[in-house]
Amino acid sequence: MALAAKCSSKLCSSLKPCRNSGKPCVHRAPVSISRSSVHYGQRNGVRLQAANNGATATADKSATAPVPIVKIDNMSDPFATKVTVEFGDKLGELLDTVTALKNLNLNIRKAALVSPGKASTFFITDADTSEKVLKSARLEEIRMTIINNMLYYHPESSETLVAGKSFQPPSRDQTHPLGPKARAVVQTTIEVKEAPNGSCSLLAVTTRDRPGLLVDIVSVLKDINVNVVSAEIDTMGDEAKDEFFVTYHGEPLNPPMVQLVTNSLQYYLSLAEVEKEESY
């Protein structure tokens, strides 16, 4: 029996009568893939790749985003206030910060690069007295000047610095017919222990940072006759970790005073209502 004529069509993939020969084909050509399915797959592949790239970029950004840190130390150096600024590897020579500090009537006795491109330390004194800065208002002014400079020259730092975020006022006031809105609580930790030298107490405060925080803490302590001998102020993103050497009538805090200091600061700092725009 004679075989049917071989189909000359490369697209023939069935045993139905061939359009070219009119007889059944005895071969099978490779099954073809329609152009629409190829384009659909390519489009999906491009979309998938773009989505993956976007997710990777977002993950990389969150993983590499540095946390701005400003530390003011009045303990380690007896003659100057030590200021350290960190922001990943984004810091340069900080000439703008040096200028801003000098405009505050401060002298920079020396400066050191703790880690090239990552952290800078300044030893500053008051230009009028040539002594370290002790007043809480001046220390807060130094801290906010550095933070505002960082916000100006590194806008990306606003994602973690409280000073770069807009204030959200309470949605209901005290005279609302339904009453005031439930108070939001700021997570605050307060610890008081005797200092290593035994001459004073060490007060450690961890809370959400905000402009004017240092002045407010010292003001609360003064209201209960607690004297601040020295302080170290650490601002790490939106968190403040401050340490104070304090005395009560020249002595370390006794147990009742420890309880009073803890309750006073806990009450004041834990309330979100103190974070008013006016206090900025």
Side-chain angles (χ1 to χ4, degrees), residues 64 66 86-92 116-119:
T64 59
E86 301 179 32
F87 189 43
D89 57 355
K90 297 180 178 295
L91 295 179
K118 292 186 178 182

Coordinates of all heavy atoms in Angstrom, one line a residue, residues 64 66 86-92 116-119:
T64 N 19.1 48.7 54.6 CA 20.3 49.6 54.7 C 20.1 51.0 55.2 O 21.0 51.7 55.3 CB 20.9 49.7 53.3 OG1 20.0 50.2 52.4 CG2 21.3 48.3 52.8
P66 N 20.1 53.8 57.4 CA 20.8 54.1 58.7 C 19.9 54.8 59.7 O 18.9 55.5 59.3 CB 22.0 54.9 58.3 CG 21.5 55.6 57.1 CD 20.6 54.7 56.4
E86 N 26.2 60.4 64.3 CA 26.3 59.2 63.4 C 25.1 59.1 62.5 O 24.0 59.5 62.9 CB 26.4 57.9 64.2 CG 27.5 57.8 65.2 CD 27.5 56.5 66.0 OE1 27.1 55.5 65.4 OE2 27.9 56.5 67.2
F87 N 25.3 58.7 61.3 CA 24.2 58.5 60.3 C 24.7 57.6 59.2 O 24.9 57.9 58.1 CB 23.7 59.8 59.7 CG 22.5 59.7 58.9 CD1 21.4 58.9 59.3 CD2 22.3 60.3 57.7 CE1 20.3 58.7 58.6 CE2 21.2 60.2 56.9 CZ 20.2 59.4 57.4
G88 N 25.0 56.3 59.6 CA 25.5 55.3 58.6 C 26.8 55.8 58.0 O 27.7 56.3 58.7
D89 N 26.9 55.7 56.7 CA 28.1 56.2 56.0 C 27.8 57.4 55.1 O 28.5 57.7 54.2 CB 28.6 55.1 55.1 CG 27.6 54.6 54.1 OD1 26.4 55.0 54.1 OD2 28.0 53.7 53.2
K90 N 26.7 58.2 55.6 CA 26.3 59.3 54.8 C 26.9 60.6 55.2 O 26.7 61.6 54.6 CB 24.8 59.4 54.8 CG 24.0 58.2 54.2 CD 22.5 58.4 54.3 CE 21.8 57.2 53.6 NZ 22.1 57.1 52.2
L91 N 27.6 60.6 56.3 CA 28.1 61.9 56.8 C 29.4 62.2 56.1 O 30.3 61.4 55.9 CB 28.4 61.8 58.4 CG 27.1 61.6 59.2 CD1 27.6 61.5 60.7 CD2 26.2 62.8 59.0
G92 N 29.6 63.5 55.9 CA 30.8 64.0 55.3 C 31.7 64.6 56.4 O 31.8 64.1 57.5
P116 N 35.7 56.7 59.8 CA 35.7 57.5 58.6 C 34.3 57.5 57.9 O 33.9 56.4 57.5 CB 36.8 56.9 57.7 CG 37.7 56.3 58.7 CD 36.9 55.8 59.8
G117 N 33.7 58.6 57.7 CA 32.5 58.7 56.9 C 31.2 58.2 57.7 O 30.1 58.3 57.2
K118 N 31.4 57.8 59.0 CA 30.3 57.2 59.7 C 30.0 58.0 61.0 O 28.8 58.1 61.4 CB 30.6 55.7 60.0 CG 30.6 54.8 58.8 CD 30.7 53.4 59.2 CE 30.6 52.5 57.9 NZ 30.7 51.1 58.3
A119 N 31.0 58.4 61.7 CA 30.7 59.1 63.0 C 31.8 60.2 63.2 O 32.9 60.1 62.8 CB 30.7 58.1 64.1

